[in-house]
Amino acid sequence: MSYLPAAPPPPPRRALLRGALGLGTAAALTACGGGSTTPRTSGDVTLGLWTHDPGYEAFFDKGIPEADRAGDFRYHLKVTRAGAPDVVTKLLAQAVAGRGTPDLVGFEIGSFPRMLRGDIAERLLHDFTPDIEAVPGLKEDLLPARTAPFSRDGRVYAFDSDTPMVVYFHRQDLFEKYGLAPSMATWEEFAEAGARVHRDHEASMCVVSTVGSDPGQVVQSFQMLLYQRGGAFFDADGTLVLDSPEAEEVLRFLCRGLRSGFVVEVSDYYGAGMQTALKRGRVIGLPMAIWYKNYGLVTNVPEQKGTWRVRALPRFAKGGGVTAALGGTGFGVVEGKANTRAATEFLFRTWLTHEGQVRRFTETGYLPTRRSVYEDPRLGAYQDEFCGGQRLFGLYRALLPDVPPFHQSPDQSILYDVLGGNLLRAYHGDLSPRQALKQTAADFRDQAGR
């Protein structure tokens, strides 16, 4: 894929409208970085890269020769690693200070909404929209479901690391042992069979996280099935749309599952409690994003290699799709710096090329964000040994049309806090599903002021 700069670089900006907005941090942003802002157009360039994940650092480092061959720059990276929330906090602090900002920065999806406050994203991040349109066919090839979380008002500010489809992981050996029919197609059939399996074998076929100190995990258990069913937290305008018949149906389904044992509570998806449940066969299946294989199953139960399988989520009898999406990390470029053009070209020549997206899957396990890459024969031939040698890309191609967009709101953290608490009250029987959703909407309006 060739990269064609869509427009001349923006004029130097040593100061950005101090105090023009009166919106806290947005108003205090003064500059995108220290040093010269005369745009570099060729030669040696050292990009400041901030990320929370060493896997991304390794990917970009290996991509340097490819980027060097494709353009006029000779790239070097200076990497700073920090926790996902800290990356955004530090970026905003350095932007206010007017120096020390990175050139290329990875936003974990749950942290990105802070960039949507006021016009922070517009002023601090490079708008990739014209760059995308300048590359023939790219706009049509990028999956809208994965540009949505990092977009605002139709402008794209970061490119996602993954198409993190939610699938159903299950122990093939125990499903066969307990007589669970492969033909079960709906969640309702799973729940009926799951109640029997729990009664006879003390095993569960679905999981919810109930660790109160991590609202994100509590919310995610509900979020996956809500989006599969056709519900959402926010619409494209950032308006709360949580309180819906689909949300009530999903919450009622999970509450009933907890009573029957089809669903089991775990403190979190990664800790000792989950590891024990997996090792003892107390959890024999769960819906989760595809990356959970590497970060949850392989790390907790490596000895169960070959016994796990992946399939599409069962459908809800009343409607919805067969997958959702959970997680992601968007990489953006800081605007108005000497290296803005170089960083943009680097991202296009590593992160977005066909070969780059194939390499990203083989090295990190993250699925392509370009539709055409799913047809690559190397990915089609890939066999997953942890999942018994399954060739999974046929499944991924089939699920692709059902991946729903995930729209974010600047007030998303407020929703997660109030929703997490009310989900726990519903799980424990202190509120009905209807009451929990109405209370969440009321709490959100009260705290967000809208």
Side-chain angles (χ1 to χ4, degrees), residues 152-173:
R152 180 169 184 169
D153 297 331
R155 296 191 288 270
V156 179
Y157 292 106
F159 292 115
D160 207 337
S161 62
D162 192 8
T163 300
M165 300 178 191
V166 176
V167 295
Y168 188 74
F169 292 101
H170 60 287
R171 285 278 301 272
Q172 177 76 3
D173 56 334

Side-chain angles (χ1 to χ4, degrees), residues 237-315:
D237 297 323
T239 302
L240 185 70
V241 294
L242 167 68
D243 190 5
S244 66
E246 291 81 8
E248 185 174 347
E249 177 188 340
V250 168
L251 185 51
R252 181 172 292 108
F253 175 79
L254 291 174
C255 291
R256 286 174 177 167
L258 284 165
R259 310 289 180 267
S260 73
F262 162 63
V263 180
V264 66
E265 293 183 30
V266 297
S267 56
D268 69 84
Y269 285 97
Y270 310 95
M274 185 62 171
Q275 184 182 53
T276 300
L278 291 168
K279 285 184 178 297
R280 293 181 177 176
R282 299 296 186 230
V283 171
I284 63 171
L286 73 161
M288 244 299 176
I290 55 113
W291 43 257
Y292 187 71
K293 187 206 72 178
N294 288 346
Y295 296 101
L297 296 177
V298 173
T299 54
N300 276 320
V301 284
E303 72 279 7
Q304 293 178 6
K305 177 181 178 180
T307 66
W308 286 87
R309 297 290 186 277
V310 174
R311 56 158 287 175
L313 295 178
R315 290 185 182 275

Side-chain angles (χ1 to χ4, degrees), residues 155-202:
R155 296 191 288 270
V156 179
Y157 292 106
F159 292 115
D160 207 337
S161 62
D162 192 8
T163 300
M165 300 178 191
V166 176
V167 295
Y168 188 74
F169 292 101
H170 60 287
R171 285 278 301 272
Q172 177 76 3
D173 56 334
L174 295 183
F175 263 53
E176 292 176 356
K177 181 179 179 180
Y178 299 157
L180 294 166
S183 59
M184 290 189 299
T186 67
W187 275 118
E188 288 77 5
E189 291 174 280
F190 266 61
E192 183 178 350
R196 173 182 62 78
V197 167
H198 184 263
R199 183 184 65 242
D200 296 344
H201 305 286
E202 296 184 7

Side-chain angles (χ1 to χ4, degrees), residues 106-113 116 121 125-126 128 144-152 155-162 327-332 406-408:
F107 300 100
E108 191 276 330
I109 192 168
S111 300
F112 188 75
L116 299 177
L125 298 180
H126 181 67
F128 292 123
R146 299 319 298 167
T147 54
F150 302 101
S151 297
R152 180 169 184 169
R155 296 191 288 270
V156 179
Y157 292 106
F159 292 115
D160 207 337
S161 62
D162 192 8
T329 292
F331 275 85
F406 181 71
H407 300 290
Q408 304 208 83

